[in-house]
Amino acid sequence: MAGSGVRGTAMRSRAGYRYIIKVFEAQWDQLHEETVKPFFEQLKRDTEDTYARRNGYKRTRPGHDALFSYVVFQNSEGLKDALARPDQGVDNRAKIAYIACHGERGKISAVRDISRTKLKNIIAPLSSYDGIFFGACDFVTRRTAEVLLENSPHLKWVAGYGHWIPWLEGMICDLIFFRMLLSGRFVRPKTNARWDPIGRPEDAAFRVYEEYPLAQDLRFSLFCRYRDGVVSTLERYERQSSGPTGQVAVL
């Protein structure tokens, strides 16, 4: 994007990398139901199918593990232990934490609340995560993103919602983002179909606004660290959309 400044080394192209999504779901109440797990299981199946199509239906290991693990947590200690748990067989794959929970300005909630400060202290020492996506209402504001990114030297991006969101509409937005990141953008040429690759998380977020315009009303944004500060995809998208040409450029 013109005028975006010089990229930091943390935002270099991730071509050739495979992503692992680690799902952490809060216990919503005393009778916990696995609300997000079935959606990510379907994402895994679709991702594997797309990979097979690209490779002539060869029965080889998929290029992405769309669901590497699923854990339920109740409080800050449970989330801390789950995030820090070592993984076997990761190789060079970049891990993404998806945290499904209730959210408010300045905190997320499971059985007990977890403040933004406490969450910052949990995330700061982690070195194996590329980014964190919060499937929660209201929590991911610019202030939250700056607190988490500026105190976590290894973390490259934070994504989520700045407003209250209806559960299903938010889940659809989450899945579109991960579908874009894992498989690319769906296009249908004159015959058959294909998925154009998307190299970086911030590019996937930009595509979400085009494919699912409701994402803007939900205030979905991915914040990433550049040399000139923390950048929001939503702010960039809205600024470009209101420009003189009306054309939107990808970050």
Side-chain angles (χ1 to χ4, degrees), residues 20-22 65-70 87-90 93 95:
I20 294 170
I21 303 173
K22 302 196 67 178
D65 289 334
L67 178 62
F68 181 80
S69 65
Y70 173 84
D87 297 300
Q88 301 296 322
V90 171
R93 289 174 288 182
K95 292 196 298 186

Side-chain angles (χ1 to χ4, degrees), residues 132-136 139-140 158-162 218-223:
I132 298 181
F133 191 118
F134 291 92
F139 181 63
V140 180
V158 171
Y161 302 90
L218 300 177
R219 308 312 291 170
F220 164 71
S221 187
L222 183 145
F223 293 86

Side-chain angles (χ1 to χ4, degrees), residues 32-220:
H32 175 71
E33 296 182 0
E34 297 175 342
T35 58
V36 304
K37 186 178 181 181
F39 289 89
F40 280 91
E41 288 174 338
Q42 184 60 49
L43 177 66
K44 177 180 174 63
R45 287 190 289 268
D46 286 353
T47 303
E48 291 175 348
D49 181 66
T50 301
Y51 182 84
R53 287 173 180 270
R54 283 176 170 168
N55 290 272
Y57 293 94
K58 295 178 181 178
R59 298 298 179 184
T60 56
R61 182 172 179 171
H64 300 289
D65 289 334
L67 178 62
F68 181 80
S69 65
Y70 173 84
V71 176
V72 176
F73 68 95
Q74 295 183 327
N75 51 36
S76 60
E77 287 302 313
L79 180 59
K80 178 180 178 180
D81 292 344
L83 282 166
R85 192 172 299 158
D87 297 300
Q88 301 296 322
V90 171
D91 302 322
N92 65 342
R93 289 174 288 182
K95 292 196 298 186
I96 298 171
Y98 174 83
I99 300 176
C101 55
H102 292 300
E104 299 178 30
R105 291 294 173 95
K107 67 180 181 180
I108 60 174
S109 301
V111 175
R112 296 182 181 178
D113 292 345
I114 305 173
S115 70
R116 181 167 57 201
T117 299
K118 187 170 289 186
L119 188 60
K120 174 198 70 176
N121 294 333
I122 291 172
I123 293 172
L126 300 176
S127 60
S128 60
Y129 288 91
D130 193 74
I132 298 181
F133 191 118
F134 291 92
C137 298
D138 295 314
F139 181 63
V140 180
T141 60
R142 168 167 282 282
R143 176 58 181 160
T144 291
E146 289 174 346
V147 167
L148 297 183
L149 288 171
E150 290 173 0
N151 291 278
S152 305
H154 301 286
L155 195 66
K156 299 177 178 63
W157 57 269
V158 171
Y161 302 90
H163 280 182
W164 175 86
I165 53 172
W167 193 92
L168 186 58
E169 285 82 349
M171 191 75 244
I172 291 171
C173 188
D174 299 350
L175 292 174
I176 291 175
F177 169 79
F178 285 114
R179 176 64 155 164
M180 294 284 186
L181 184 60
L182 295 172
S183 299
R185 178 173 176 268
F186 174 75
V187 294
R188 188 182 298 280
K190 292 183 179 179
T191 59
N192 211 329
R194 71 172 187 268
W195 283 261
D196 286 342
I198 293 176
R200 303 176 303 162
E202 60 267 41
D203 297 339
F206 254 78
R207 293 300 183 187
V208 169
Y209 303 129
E210 298 174 0
E211 301 293 333
Y212 189 60
L214 183 60
Q216 295 179 69
D217 293 334
L218 300 177
R219 308 312 291 170
F220 164 71

Side-chain angles (χ1 to χ4, degrees), residues 23-39:
V23 178
F24 306 91
E25 184 168 14
Q27 182 171 332
W28 305 97
D29 50 39
Q30 295 302 317
L31 300 175
H32 175 71
E33 296 182 0
E34 297 175 342
T35 58
V36 304
K37 186 178 181 181
F39 289 89

Side-chain angles (χ1 to χ4, degrees), residues 233-250:
T233 56
L234 180 62
E235 293 171 6
R236 286 283 176 92
Y237 185 86
E238 292 181 335
R239 190 156 58 244
Q240 289 288 348
S241 297
S242 61
T245 64
Q247 296 179 347
V248 177
V250 175

